[in-house]
Amino acid sequence: MCNFASVKLHIIQPMKIYKFGGASVKSAEGVRNLERIVSQANDNLVVVISAMGKMTNALELVVNSFFNHKPDLSDNIKAVVNFHDSIISDLFPDENARKVVNASVEKLYADLNAIVSNKPSLSYDFEYDRIVSFGELLSTTIVAAYLRHRAINAEWVDIRRCLITDNNYREGNVSMEISENLCREAFLGKKLSITQGFIAGTPTNQTTTLGREGSDYTAAILANLLDAEDVTIWKDVPGVMNADPKLYKEVEIIPVLSYKEAIELSYCGASVIHPKTVKPLQNKQIPLYVRSFINPSEPGSKICRYNQHLTLPPIFIHKKNQVLLSLTPRDFSFIAEERLSKIFGILASYRIKSSLVEMSAISFSLCMDYNEVTFNKMIEELRDEYEVLYNTDVELITIRHYTPEIAQRITANHLIYVEQRNRLTARFVVPV
């Protein structure tokens, strides 16, 4: 006879994904705050972490010095080391505890120095990925060590061994097929895993990255591959807001957004969500929460499948550091599909993405992110066939769910270079 009273049911907790950006771990206090948030979570948690603070920018200086043989290489590396050592000293005042984390961190410093002690390859993008990736490797190593120091059993996972991409350096394309089994083996069945955002690896163990600000995308891919219950992105804002509080006095949190609306906002330049993040979640109907690491008890915003009509306020997005480029064929021929294909091919070769496109019979205009070096190289190539005009220092203003009155008020004091409107969205390219 079976004694049902003695049977214990082991309920498997659904997996959750937390993502912490650079702003959340830019200091020792930030890491302590992360520990407080993580300690409140149940088991089966994967924590994806970006480089600390502005460390990606600092490592980009290292890449440029190394690749271009500049004399400030050692100073730039020293700045990276000093920044992390300062946080470690604050987090681990006990010398014995500090020795443990320093052993791991110094191994990473040695690996970085080994790279830059040799001559760079001919591929800037290859060197970029293997050097900039140290930001995430260092941040996760320090955070995992601190959690263990606080008696939280955190396992450090090298995402490069399980999230596999092609060798399209600086914007690797993830192989979901190859990555799925590797990620499930690396993360399932563990109470707490600490891993890196933004970076990945190739089948031949080369380091790649997923594109600037790609840690949100990492969290979304892992959620898809691991069938997670949900993803939470911890930000320094209380949720998805209808405007930047630094630019507007009266702002409000948007409590619920559909996947479609979130994709539209990210495409328009909303910085709260990386453009690639939503699709892997939408594919498996996994909700995404945007919450504040400053006030973690607040509910924040939820992005999910939402078929009912949502009445949303006007949403204002300002995308700065743009350039407006206008092309006219020198032979005055029409801008037809063949020309468009060639223009976009050139853009793709320089990894430039357009934010806004407008065309007439014999001219074609684009608003895009401005990188002086890349842009100037592209312009030289385009000048063979086109007359080229451009304005730097422009801004793209997007008003989603606009009214004519609001659009007039926002643009009243601006010279407008380009204006586009449809039923829901008004967009204006204006000088800064």
Side-chain angles (χ1 to χ4, degrees):
M1 184 175 179
C2 181
N3 182 5
F4 290 101
S6 65
V7 176
K8 293 184 179 179
L9 296 177
H10 295 279
I11 300 174
I12 300 175
Q13 293 283 348
M15 176 159 285
K16 292 179 177 289
I17 312 290
Y18 281 2
K19 181 263 174 175
F20 290 88
S24 65
V25 289
K26 66 181 180 181
S27 64
E29 183 49 43
V31 176
R32 293 187 188 99
N33 188 56
L34 179 150
E35 182 263 329
R36 288 190 286 270
I37 293 172
V38 168
S39 65
Q40 298 299 312
N42 294 321
D43 294 342
N44 294 348
L45 177 65
V46 176
V47 180
V48 176
I49 302 174
S50 301
M52 292 175 157
K54 299 295 184 181
M55 193 43 53
T56 299
N57 293 342
L59 283 161
E60 285 177 344
L61 295 177
V62 174
V63 178
N64 291 332
S65 297
F66 171 57
F67 194 78
N68 296 307
H69 309 284
K70 292 183 177 180
D72 60 355
L73 174 61
S74 60
D75 289 340
N76 288 331
I77 292 177
K78 187 176 181 181
V80 172
V81 171
N82 289 345
F83 175 84
H84 290 99
D85 284 354
S86 175
I87 291 178
I88 291 170
S89 296
D90 196 336
L91 289 173
F92 302 90
D94 178 74
E95 186 177 349
N96 290 327
R98 196 160 60 246
K99 283 181 180 178
V100 175
V101 66
N102 276 341
S104 299
V105 168
E106 285 169 5
K107 171 66 167 58
L108 291 171
Y109 294 157
D111 291 344
L112 175 58
N113 280 307
I115 290 173
V116 300
S117 64
N118 293 304
K119 289 183 178 180
S121 69
L122 297 178
S123 171
Y124 178 88
D125 293 342
F126 171 76
E127 302 298 350
Y128 180 98
D129 279 5
R130 66 175 183 155
I131 290 175
V132 168
S133 61
F134 280 91
E136 279 69 23
L137 295 172
L138 285 162
S139 67
T140 51
T141 297
I142 294 168
V143 169
Y146 181 71
L147 292 176
R148 290 192 291 267
H149 176 64
R150 297 284 295 169
I152 297 175
N153 186 20
E155 181 166 338
W156 186 86
V157 176
D158 188 342
I159 197 74
R160 298 173 298 173
R161 302 294 171 255
C162 53
L163 193 62
I164 306 302
T165 73
D166 58 14
N167 61 357
N168 187 37
Y169 297 107
R170 295 190 70 183
E171 198 152 359
N173 299 295
V174 176
S175 170
M176 301 294 275
E177 257 182 58
I178 298 174
S179 301
E180 182 172 9
N181 287 336
L182 293 172
C183 285
R184 295 179 79 85
E185 182 180 343
F187 293 105
L188 292 183
K190 296 174 181 175
K191 291 186 176 182
L192 175 60
S193 301
I194 305 296
T195 196
Q196 306 80 35
F198 176 57
I199 71 175
T202 69
T204 56
N205 291 331
Q206 300 300 320
T207 300
T208 55
T209 61
L210 304 180
R212 204 68 157 82
E213 310 293 338
S215 293
D216 291 359
Y217 185 40
T218 303
I221 292 172
L222 288 179
N224 179 292
L225 296 177
L226 302 174
D227 294 313
E229 180 181 43
D230 56 50
V231 175
T232 301
I233 296 176
W234 296 93
K235 307 279 290 185
D236 56 358
V237 292
V240 179
M241 308 186 79
N242 74 318
D244 185 343
K246 296 175 184 175
L247 300 176
Y248 291 83
K249 291 181 180 179
E250 296 180 6
V251 297
E252 57 184 287
I253 298 170
I254 303 173
V256 180
L257 282 169
S258 66
Y259 292 122
K260 180 180 178 181
E261 186 67 29
I263 289 173
E264 289 283 358
L265 294 180
S266 65
Y267 173 77
C268 291
S271 59
V272 73
I273 306 163
H274 187 275
K276 291 183 179 179
T277 301
V278 178
K279 184 59 178 171
L281 302 177
Q282 187 270 336
N283 286 348
K284 289 194 173 179
Q285 303 299 306
I286 299 169
L288 170 66
Y289 295 91
V290 179
R291 297 174 62 188
S292 167
F293 63 76
I294 300 169
N295 297 299
S297 61
E298 295 181 358
S301 301
K302 181 180 182 180
I303 298 168
C304 59
R305 181 179 180 179
Y306 204 90
N307 294 326
Q308 301 175 36
H309 176 71
L310 274 171
T311 302
L312 295 173
I315 301 171
F316 305 92
I317 301 167
H318 290 251
K319 197 169 186 182
K320 297 182 182 294
N321 192 37
Q322 299 290 290
V323 57
L324 178 63
L325 170 67
S326 296
L327 305 173
T328 303
R330 292 188 181 279
D331 60 2
F332 288 96
S333 59
F334 288 114
I335 296 286
E337 286 76 7
E338 183 180 345
R339 281 196 179 275
L340 287 176
S341 176
K342 187 172 182 180
I343 291 169
F344 280 111
I346 293 172
L347 287 175
S349 70
Y350 288 96
R351 302 194 179 199
I352 293 175
K353 295 181 176 66
S354 57
S355 305
L356 177 146
V357 173
E358 183 171 84
M359 60 182 292
S360 66
I362 59 169
S363 69
F364 184 70
S365 296
L366 306 101
C367 186
M368 64 190 78
D369 292 341
Y370 182 54
N371 177 301
E372 184 178 2
V373 175
T374 304
F375 182 77
N376 288 340
K377 289 179 181 177
M378 183 185 71
I379 289 301
E380 289 306 310
E381 185 171 346
L382 288 168
R383 280 198 169 112
D384 291 340
E385 294 187 42
Y386 300 93
E387 289 186 8
V388 177
L389 297 173
Y390 61 89
N391 300 86
T392 58
D393 247 0
V394 302
E395 177 181 11
L396 176 60
I397 301 174
T398 301
I399 310 172
R400 182 101 173 133
H401 307 286
Y402 75 100
T403 65
E405 295 76 19
I406 288 174
Q408 172 63 28
R409 175 166 57 86
I410 296 300
T411 61
N413 297 320
H414 288 288
L415 170 66
I416 299 174
Y417 290 144
V418 178
E419 176 178 344
Q420 287 185 353
R421 300 191 193 211
N422 60 29
R423 292 182 183 89
L424 291 178
T425 307
R427 312 190 79 193
F428 308 92
V429 180
V430 302
V432 175

